[in-house]
Amino acid sequence: MLPVTTTVTDVTGDEESFTLDRNGFQYLKHVSGFAAETQEEAFADEEKIQKEYFAECEGLLKGVTGASRVFAFDHRVRRGPSDWHEIPVYNVRHRGPLHRAHVDQSYAGAEMVLRQKVPDADQVESLMQRRWGIVNIWRPIKPIHKDPLALCDARTVSDVDLVPGSIILKSGQRRESWTIKPKPEHRWYFKYQQQPDEVVLIKCFDSDNSSEMARRAPHCAVEDPDAKEGGWRESVEVRCLVFW
């Protein structure tokens, strides 16, 4: 991975200008009801996240998107150093920010997820007859200073800028995501000092391929030259299948 210097614009004061269907991402004010006695305990209980926070995210997405059904299927809590990939053993236990510009699923990869999560082939075919997608809900656990999350306006990224890459799990399952060829026309945005009640929705896939529809939003952590020091970034992301 080679670092690229680019301009990333702060959306503060202009958050409402960005929407899932136009830009591929959307900022929302939302106070989570996911309770913890201390900040250190917040989002530390994996079972509680799946039982309680998944349901909260499903409800939030249904309300925002007008979907008939939302199914949270995966999540990532990141509380590690910027260079966590260089930890030689068990680095996923110290998962930190991901600086590689990417989309979690390619178009083919999104279908792989659907078929893995809905094993009934007839039901999958039925679901694919109507609009469906994958949307992530990304939330800071603590205010973000270092390694903020940046998102690229989907309208500025052509499909030819997307490079598929396969991930083979120990189980043998294959996943496919996209990395991004950097282009000067790409427009990147972030929220300065993003707070825990400032969530961002990230569209990873939309089956609606009409010309005006944002189908995916590349994203990654970025290194802010003015915020290289300080504690590790802490965030939680829930990935959801969305059906209209």
Side-chain angles (χ1 to χ4, degrees):
M1 182 178 69
L2 297 176
V4 175
T5 300
T6 192
T7 298
V8 185
T9 301
D10 180 14
V11 302
T12 300
D14 201 30
E15 293 94 334
E16 293 183 2
S17 297
F18 300 89
T19 69
L20 268 179
D21 289 346
R22 183 174 61 248
N23 311 97
F25 60 92
Q26 183 170 336
Y27 290 92
L28 298 173
K29 277 281 191 178
H30 180 266
V31 177
S32 175
F34 189 71
E37 293 186 7
T38 67
Q39 187 65 55
E40 287 69 28
E41 293 176 356
F43 297 100
D45 187 327
E46 296 288 307
E47 184 177 351
K48 191 174 181 182
I49 290 172
Q50 294 179 27
K51 286 184 176 179
E52 298 180 19
Y53 189 58
F54 274 24
E56 178 179 291
C57 289
E58 291 169 350
L60 175 61
L61 266 186
K62 283 185 72 174
V64 172
T65 65
S68 62
R69 181 184 174 191
V70 175
F71 170 61
F73 65 86
D74 194 13
H75 74 285
R76 290 287 184 275
V77 175
R78 297 186 182 273
R79 285 184 140 122
S82 303
D83 59 352
W84 66 285
H85 281 293
E86 297 177 15
I87 299 174
V89 180
Y90 301 124
N91 60 12
V92 293
R93 295 181 182 177
H94 306 281
R95 185 181 283 116
L98 187 58
H99 288 87
R100 174 178 57 84
H102 67 284
V103 179
D104 291 14
Q105 292 87 22
S106 67
Y107 297 152
E111 184 174 334
M112 290 177 194
V113 169
L114 180 61
R115 293 188 181 279
Q116 289 164 6
K117 302 303 177 183
V118 184
D120 186 315
D122 291 337
Q123 187 180 3
V124 168
E125 296 306 321
S126 176
L127 291 170
M128 291 178 63
Q129 295 304 309
R130 62 179 190 263
R131 184 186 175 199
W132 67 281
I134 298 177
V135 178
N136 297 351
I137 300 178
W138 192 94
R139 180 189 297 274
I141 296 174
K142 294 181 178 180
I144 302 296
H145 302 285
K146 184 180 180 181
D147 300 319
L149 179 71
L151 305 110
C152 193
D153 190 334
R155 298 173 299 177
T156 70
V157 183
S158 170
D159 279 354
V160 299
D161 301 337
L162 306 173
V163 180
S166 290
I167 303 168
I168 308 298
L169 305 181
K170 288 183 179 180
S171 64
Q173 284 187 343
R174 186 172 76 88
R175 296 178 180 174
E176 187 176 279
S177 63
W178 267 321
T179 55
I180 317 302
K181 296 178 184 177
K183 295 286 184 66
E185 58 266 29
H186 295 169
R187 293 293 176 265
W188 288 87
Y189 299 90
F190 83 114
K191 177 73 172 71
Y192 179 67
Q193 294 188 358
Q194 189 173 349
Q195 303 296 305
D197 65 346
E198 295 174 322
V199 300
V200 60
L201 310 182
I202 310 168
K203 188 184 287 187
C204 291
F205 172 76
D206 196 323
S207 65
D208 185 342
N209 61 4
S210 56
S211 60
E212 298 301 315
M213 179 62 67
R215 300 192 68 195
R216 67 289 179 277
H219 52 281
C220 65
V222 292
E223 183 182 277
D224 182 348
D226 295 326
K228 289 185 177 182
E229 306 301 324
W232 299 343
R233 193 195 78 186
E234 298 189 27
S235 63
V236 57
E237 177 181 64
V238 172
R239 300 164 177 173
C240 301
L241 282 161
V242 182
F243 303 96
W244 282 270

